[in-house]
Amino acid sequence: DKLIVALDVAKEIQAREIVSQLKNEVGGFKVGLQLFTAIGGTFVREMAKNRIKIFLDLKLHDIPNTVAKAAVEAARLGIWMFNLHIVSGSEVMLQTVDEIREVCEKERLIPPKILGVTVLTSVTDETLREVGVDTKTNEQVLRLARLASSCGLDGVVASPLEIKIIRNEIENKRFLIVTPGIRSNDKSRNAKFDVFDDQKRTMSAGEALAAGADYIV
């Protein structure tokens, strides 16, 4: 139930095959930018109607009205969770939370969980400095997690390396931590992916769950 499988494929037939094989074995599936751009929202809506839990991983990042309206349409697809970038700011998050609540009450929809993206797993301290952020990665993650919690988000997306500090600092015990950057402890298994593996802050599944992740991708 804690495992979310990433449907990081380009074709609908591939996604359907993965869902068919694993729908009774895992907690849900992640639809990201690649698949959503390739085939649109019809697939997501169908999966939701068939009670397949979908985490819509589009990492919304824009002005408040644009993000809130996109979030509302995502909720109408029947998704389980979606995410937005915390660096969009508190106004974006507060407006999104309010509009999701209002529309779901009015249209009798089950509100999706709203997650805030902290710092991408491909980002390092050096990357942050490159874009003008002079704090360390773990400090930035914690700062953003606190902001997300204060704005009423249901949780965050964070690398496994920051799980413990978030758990220790966020008082809301129902605050979700969804964790990408999951890799095997077997280096030989990971080696074949090195050619395109750009995730830097990683752990094994067991390590991430032991640290306190609610879900691992």
Side-chain angles (χ1 to χ4, degrees):
D1 289 343
K2 290 180 175 288
L3 179 60
I4 299 172
V5 173
L7 298 177
D8 291 338
V9 294
K11 296 183 178 179
E12 185 172 343
I13 189 171
Q14 295 171 301
R16 289 184 180 278
E17 182 178 357
I18 294 170
V19 172
S20 177
Q21 291 175 347
L22 299 177
K23 63 183 179 181
N24 296 320
E25 308 296 331
V26 300
F29 297 89
K30 180 181 78 72
V31 173
L33 286 168
Q34 180 186 16
L35 184 61
F36 194 81
T37 302
I39 65 176
T42 303
F43 171 81
V44 173
R45 190 187 304 276
E46 179 189 335
M47 292 296 107
K49 283 185 177 180
N50 290 327
R51 299 188 177 182
I52 304 295
K53 289 183 175 180
I54 297 294
F55 167 28
L56 190 60
D57 178 31
L58 301 184
K59 301 180 181 68
L60 302 176
H61 183 33
D62 212 307
I63 62 174
N65 191 61
T66 299
V67 171
K69 299 305 182 188
V72 165
E73 296 307 323
R76 287 175 172 146
L77 292 174
I79 56 171
W80 170 38
M81 298 191 295
F82 75 93
N83 56 13
L84 53 81
H85 271 290
I86 301 169
V87 292
S88 299
S90 58
E91 186 179 351
V92 166
M93 291 184 283
L94 291 169
Q95 184 172 336
T96 299
V97 169
D98 285 345
E99 292 201 23
I100 286 286
R101 182 185 300 114
E102 181 180 345
V103 167
C104 288
E105 287 179 359
K106 182 178 180 180
E107 299 180 15
R108 297 182 180 181
L109 304 172
I110 298 175
K113 301 294 184 184
I114 307 174
L115 305 176
V117 178
T118 55
V119 176
L120 300 175
T121 54
S122 61
V123 171
T124 63
D125 291 351
E126 182 180 350
T127 312
L128 289 180
R129 287 194 298 272
E130 183 181 46
V131 297
V133 179
D134 293 326
T135 58
K136 292 186 178 298
T137 308
N138 60 348
E139 295 170 351
Q140 179 71 354
V141 168
L142 184 56
R143 173 186 295 170
L144 294 175
R146 286 172 175 155
L147 181 59
S149 178
S150 71
C151 291
L153 267 61
D154 297 293
V156 292
V157 180
S159 98
L161 300 187
E162 294 91 39
I163 296 170
K164 287 187 177 181
I165 62 170
I166 295 173
R167 282 279 173 248
N168 289 337
E169 294 291 332
I170 302 297
E171 294 183 0
N172 179 7
K173 301 306 178 185
R174 300 176 66 181
F175 196 69
L176 298 174
I177 301 177
V178 177
T179 306
I182 300 301
R183 292 292 180 268
S184 170
N185 277 329
D186 183 347
K187 292 183 180 180
S188 64
R189 288 187 61 191
N190 292 331
K192 64 182 179 180
F193 298 112
D194 285 348
V195 67
F196 59 85
D197 187 5
D198 52 5
Q199 300 198 65
K200 304 294 192 302
R201 306 189 328 275
T202 67
M203 277 186 180
S204 70
E207 289 168 338
L209 291 173
D214 292 289
Y215 299 99
I216 58 174
V217 181

